[in-house]
Structure formats: C-alpha cells, structure tokens
Amino acid sequence: MTRQTWTAVVSALTLIVLAGVIAFTPIPYVAWDPGVTNDVLGSSDGVDEITISDVATSGTTGRLLLTSVSVTSSDAALTLPAAFLNYLRGSHDVVPRDWAYPVGRSDSDLANDEAQSMNEAEQGATVAALGAAGIPVQENPLVDSVSTGGPAYELLQTGDIIETVNDTPVTTSDEVNGIVRSLAVGATATFGIVRGGSSMVVPVTTQASSTDRTVPRVGITMRPGYRYAPRIEFNVPGRVADESSGLVLSLAIYAKLRSEDLMASRVVAGTGTIEANGTVGAVPAVAEKMRGAEQDGAQIFLVPAANCSDAAGVATDMELVRVAKLSDAVSSLDALAQGHPETVPRC
C-alpha cells in the first residue's frame, strides 16, 4: 500500500472517529416538543380537575384545553445531530439547557420552584376569575417568610393573613411597612391576623434594622393575599400545569361560575400567565403548545398579546385570538359564539 493510500485511510478513519464523537457528545441544549393537553373542565382520575363549592355553579359544554411543552429531561443528554433534526422540524425548538434547568438548582429546588409558581398561578387565576364573575374578594397582605431569630420569629407564620396593625386596617404590604416604620425601635406592633381560618392578635416587639439602627423592623416579608367565600380546589396533573397555566385555569373557573355557557360546545385551548387583576402575560414555547392543542382537536387558541409574533409563523387552522386580559378571552369567545368574528382581536 502506497504512502498516499495509507494517508487516505488514516484520514478517513479519523473523520469516522470524529463524526462518532460529535454524534454522541452531549451539548448544553434541550429540545422543546409539543406536549400533552388536559381538559380542565373535565376530570382526572375520577375527580374534577377544578372543583368549586360554597357558591352556585353552572354546567358548560365543550372542552377547555390546558397546553404544555415536552422538554428533554434533566438527566438526559441532547446530541448535536438530534438537536439539528429537532430544529428542522416544524413547531419544535432547541434552547439553551439553563433555560429549563438553571445552573446550581437541584431537582428538588426545581420541584419547589415549580410548586411555588403553580400556587401563584392558581391564586392569580382564582382571584381574576372571581373578579370577572362579580364575586367579592378582600385583599390583605400575606406573610411570605419570617426571618429566623427576628422579632416575629415563632410569633407570625408563613401564610398568616394580616388584617390590621395596631388596630389600623391594612390591605397592602406598603401599609404594613408604613405603620411599623412609624414606631420607635422597641415599640410593639400588634398584628390582627387570620391563621387557618381563625382570627387572632399577635404582638411583636420591633428591633432595629441591621442597616439603619433608627429604623424598626419585625423581620417578615409579605406578598398579596386574598380572602373570598368560594372554595376552589385544583386537581390538574403536575406534568401539564405550571405558571403558564394561569389564563386557562382562570377561564375554566369563570366558565363554571357564570350562568351562560361560555364554551358553546367548542374545543378551546390557550396559554399565558395571569395576574390577580386579569392581566395576561407572555410565556415560552407558544408554537409547540399550539401544535399540541391542534393535534388534540382545538378550534380556538388564546394567545397572550405579547406572544402574537411567536404565533404568526405557525401554519394552523385554529382561530388565533389575541388576549391581553381575561376579559378579552371572555368577550372574544362570546363574540365568536354569537357570529361576530369581526370584533375579535387576532394575532
């Protein structure tokens, strides 16, 4: 064998080895694919996905699909050829791994983050739906955390709803902080709270802030809390539900509360975060969620207004409805049912 032949053989073998290395070497990306859907007006394991009690509800026809995205699992690796093929497929995407699995966060941390996000989504969905249905909601600060060893340690608890401070009614965290800061260091702040459905009074002696010894503190953080008469329970599978579920969850609650049939025997899907005031926020992976919804029979897809550009490039037979607030979704579904499509905002 000539020297040139040996060189060609070695070069070919080297290319084969390099190709094999490239084919099996993991890259720091994950794949987004269309995920499963869930009818939140239906049931899961024999239990309604959303149960409402202590208030009158109505039946509704049709289906309301909660959409999701399938993501490469945290213990799986994506190779370059797999990423390239996934990128070429319609309504699939490849994104940096730390978008789905932030560096330094364990599986347990991620699970806790997801649970917290879901709780916030359920709360926002509930309050927005009750507001749209005209059911009274009382806003009060809720204790989010208590500093270990701080003035309120073992006195106030996470989840306490604060109604008054020193007999002054409060509805926001700023009002609580304002009253506390008006006190002298070492003075008592008396909290009127609701804990586990029971009202109680808890006195807390203020201490000086570590950053300014003239400023009093009680050592708690707060977030908005809400009180209302209806009891709403969620039984939505965790593999589907996350913070992007807010809009659909809220619409499902509202559909059960109003007397007229909102769904009108249609299959509606959507995505989007939601705030307590009904504002709908943007979410990732809209194209993948649209494809999963269409595969499961959706006729109408509710798109967050900020995501309309993401939906624009997706070929679909679904009606794409632009939604900036919960009220947009409601009015658009009513308009389509009544034969007035020209009044519906589109993407």
Side-chain angles (χ1 to χ4, degrees):
M1 185 177 293
T2 65
R3 182 174 179 179
Q4 290 83 357
T5 303
W6 273 112
T7 300
V9 169
V10 171
S11 298
L13 291 173
T14 300
L15 287 174
I16 292 172
V17 171
L18 289 174
V21 170
I22 292 173
F24 292 101
T25 298
I27 59 175
Y29 287 81
V30 296
W32 276 350
D33 299 306
V36 298
T37 65
N38 264 78
D39 177 14
V40 289
L41 294 176
S43 61
S44 178
D45 298 326
V47 180
D48 285 351
E49 296 208 353
I50 298 176
T51 302
I52 304 176
S53 54
D54 299 331
V55 67
T57 58
S58 302
T60 184
T61 61
R63 294 190 292 151
L64 181 55
L65 304 182
L66 193 63
T67 57
S68 67
V69 59
S70 175
V71 184
T72 307
S73 64
S74 61
D75 58 354
L78 190 69
T79 61
L80 183 59
F84 183 69
L85 290 174
N86 206 76
Y87 179 77
L88 292 178
R89 298 162 64 196
S91 298
H92 298 70
D93 210 343
V94 176
V95 299
R97 188 178 184 84
D98 57 9
W99 284 22
Y101 307 110
V103 177
R105 305 292 288 171
S106 66
D107 287 347
S108 177
D109 292 334
L110 293 174
N112 289 334
D113 292 345
E114 290 172 0
Q116 178 65 28
S117 294
M118 192 58 206
N119 286 336
E120 292 175 0
E122 290 174 352
Q123 176 177 272
T126 298
V127 174
L130 294 178
I135 296 175
V137 176
Q138 174 63 48
E139 181 176 352
N140 290 100
L142 181 143
V143 177
D144 196 34
S145 67
V146 182
S147 300
T148 302
Y153 183 60
E154 295 186 336
L155 296 174
L156 294 176
Q157 297 179 7
T158 299
D160 287 346
I161 294 177
I162 303 172
E163 294 188 309
T164 64
V165 181
N166 288 351
D167 296 324
T168 300
V170 291
T171 59
T172 67
S173 301
D174 287 342
E175 290 175 352
V176 174
N177 290 329
I179 294 173
V180 171
R181 288 171 182 164
S182 71
L183 302 174
V185 173
T188 298
T190 302
F191 290 82
I193 66 169
V194 175
R195 179 183 297 166
S198 300
S199 297
M200 60 185 69
V201 174
V202 179
V204 178
T205 302
T206 65
Q207 293 178 0
S209 166
S210 59
T211 56
D212 187 339
R213 305 304 294 176
T214 66
V215 176
R217 62 182 285 269
V218 293
I220 62 173
T221 62
M222 294 165 284
R223 60 182 173 86
Y226 303 92
R227 300 181 67 195
Y228 38 81
R231 181 179 177 84
I232 299 175
E233 298 177 82
F234 296 90
N235 186 46
V236 182
R239 69 182 184 278
V240 177
D242 58 22
E243 64 181 351
S244 68
S245 308
L247 169 61
V248 171
L249 292 177
S250 192
L251 197 62
I253 296 169
Y254 175 78
K256 287 173 173 277
L257 290 173
R258 88 172 201 170
S259 56
E260 301 88 358
D261 184 3
L262 179 65
M263 303 307 297
S265 300
R266 297 168 295 182
V267 182
V268 179
T271 187
T273 64
I274 197 162
E275 298 178 18
N277 64 4
T279 299
V280 175
V283 297
V286 169
E288 288 81 1
K289 293 174 183 178
M290 287 175 57
R291 185 62 60 227
E294 189 164 38
Q295 290 171 356
D296 287 347
Q299 301 157 297
I300 301 169
F301 195 93
L302 307 174
V303 184
N307 285 124
C308 272
S309 59
D310 301 318
V314 181
T316 179
D317 293 327
M318 296 185 294
E319 296 266 11
L320 301 185
V321 177
R322 180 181 182 274
V323 177
K325 295 182 72 70
L326 175 62
S327 56
D328 294 338
V330 173
S331 60
S332 294
L333 290 178
D334 283 341
L336 290 171
Q338 294 162 7
H340 299 294
E342 70 281 357
T343 65
V344 175
R346 312 285 182 144
C347 283

